[in-house]
Amino acid sequence: MLSVARQGARMPDEARIEVVEDRCQGHSRCVAIAPDLFDCDELGNVVLLGDGRVSPEALERARLAVLNCPERALVLREGGGA
Ligand code: SF4
């Protein structure tokens, strides 16, 4: 599979991931996809690692985690100008 970067897509200046905590049901799919961005608490619910900023290197994993969250509990805000 080609990465987004290899396809030549423009990378945003800054991306941030947010958790809608009351939606998380603890499936841990996000942790399996991006263990550098997410962890689980003692109940299995997602915990953000860091302050939510997503590095360009982690952006593709963050996008996959959002797409694979069955509860739509993850929101990725991709910054950047026009
Ligand atoms: S995949 Fe979604 S519902 Fe499951 S732990 Fe991660 S944020 Fe929560």
Side-chain angles (χ1 to χ4, degrees), residues 3 7 13 17 35-36 39 41 45 50 62 67-68 72 75 80 82:
S3 73
Q7 292 172 0
D13 294 337
I17 194 95
D36 53 329
D39 199 357
D41 66 12
N45 293 323
L67 290 172
N68 281 276
R72 301 180 70 182
V75 178

Side-chain angles (χ1 to χ4, degrees), residues 13-54:
D13 294 337
E14 181 176 279
R16 300 188 74 91
I17 194 95
E18 299 172 7
V19 175
V20 184
E21 292 181 6
D22 59 352
R23 288 188 183 170
C24 180
Q25 297 296 312
H27 304 285
S28 296
R29 292 186 185 187
C30 54
V31 179
I33 292 168
D36 53 329
L37 297 174
F38 307 107
D39 199 357
C40 295
D41 66 12
E42 63 277 2
L43 299 175
N45 293 323
V46 69
V47 175
L48 271 181
L49 297 176
D51 63 2
R53 277 184 281 195
V54 178

Side-chain angles (χ1 to χ4, degrees), residues 65-79:
V66 169
L67 290 172
N68 281 276
C69 175
E71 308 300 335
R72 301 180 70 182
L74 301 175
V75 178
L76 181 63
R77 301 193 189 283
E78 298 190 43

